[in-house]
Amino acid sequence: MTFQLTVSPDFPPNRIAGWYIFNTWLQKALDLPIHLELYPSFEAQREAIGQGKVDLIYANPYDAAMLIREKGFTALARPQGKMDEAVVVTAADAPYDSVDDLKPGLRLAVTNDPAVNLLGMMMLEPAELNTSNLEVRQVESYPVAVKLLLQGEADLAFLLKEALEKLTATTRKQLKVLVHSQIGDLYHTFLVGPRLAEKQEAIRTALVNMHTDAKGKDVLDNLGFPAWEAVSADEAEFMMNLIEALK
């Protein structure tokens, strides 16, 4: 039986090769047949999850909560020192310097990343802005959202902070960050599904020791991670409760 690994669609495009290399490493480390399937959108990925196709997943915090509570997945590990934060950005020459300057009717570009959109909307609450008084346009990726800003086709955009940091210096200079989240307890998580329940500890051990092996360290470098660190059941529960509180 071949097991399927997938990755939250919000990872930077330049990491695609890194995830294929990771999948090869994981197969060898566990001596298991694992196929990596990358989905073009959260909707397509959730459809595959609903059909029971996914066994291993690197998930954003919103989907991790759903997978644990509704699909019987277990959180194993997370990238060391990497937290998920969101930013609300506009073009550098836009007439807004803070959220307080924003008014109803503005055009907002978002991806279909539920965690980032949740944080973004939370940060707009002081200006009494929400989906009912903004013109929201969903796009397929953060670069597309940025493109709309720079072309004058959007006034605001929600970005994953890491996605903003991955933009070129030239592009970042053309943007202005109005506000950024400081939650500190949300993060992407590597989870395992019920079909691999008996392999949980072997997988967790392989991940947290990955940086101690030369080949494993190279794979991590390709993903932009320093190392994996274990996630306990209590830590996962705390994050799920936080997601619920933010809704």
Side-chain angles (χ1 to χ4, degrees), residues 87-100:
V87 292
V88 179
V89 300
T90 188
D93 58 358
Y96 327 112
D97 293 313
S98 72
V99 168
D100 293 335

Side-chain angles (χ1 to χ4, degrees), residues 154-240:
D155 303 301
L156 307 168
F158 294 161
L159 305 180
L160 185 67
K161 184 180 178 183
E162 184 179 6
L164 174 67
E165 294 168 348
K166 297 297 182 184
L167 297 173
T168 65
T170 300
T171 300
R172 289 198 305 273
K173 287 180 181 178
Q174 298 177 74
L175 300 174
K176 183 193 306 182
V177 176
L178 299 182
V179 62
H180 59 87
S181 65
Q182 298 182 34
I183 302 298
D185 288 298
L186 298 178
Y187 41 82
H188 278 51
T189 313
F190 194 93
L191 301 104
V192 61
R195 280 193 295 268
L196 282 169
E198 64 181 25
K199 297 287 187 180
Q200 285 180 17
E201 290 311 312
I203 297 170
R204 191 198 307 269
T205 298
L207 292 176
V208 299
N209 290 331
M210 190 173 178
H211 67 286
T212 64
D213 171 74
K215 289 183 179 179
K217 184 67 170 63
D218 286 343
V219 176
L220 287 168
D221 289 343
N222 280 312
L223 295 178
F225 300 166
W228 293 98
E229 58 185 15
V231 173
S232 68
D234 286 345
E235 288 171 325
E237 183 68 23
F238 180 84
M239 185 171 70
M240 290 189 291

Side-chain angles (χ1 to χ4, degrees), residues 145-159:
V146 170
K147 183 179 179 181
L148 291 181
L149 282 178
L150 300 183
Q151 291 181 339
E153 297 179 34
D155 303 301
L156 307 168
F158 294 161
L159 305 180

Side-chain angles (χ1 to χ4, degrees), residues 70-118:
E70 299 178 18
K71 302 297 182 181
F73 277 65
T74 300
L76 299 184
R78 65 186 181 191
Q80 188 180 74
K82 283 186 174 288
M83 294 296 175
D84 284 5
E85 301 289 357
V87 292
V88 179
V89 300
T90 188
D93 58 358
Y96 327 112
D97 293 313
S98 72
V99 168
D100 293 335
D101 297 329
L102 303 178
K103 304 296 181 185
L106 293 176
R107 299 163 298 170
L108 170 64
V110 302
T111 66
N112 55 359
D113 186 326
V116 169
N117 293 343
L118 187 66

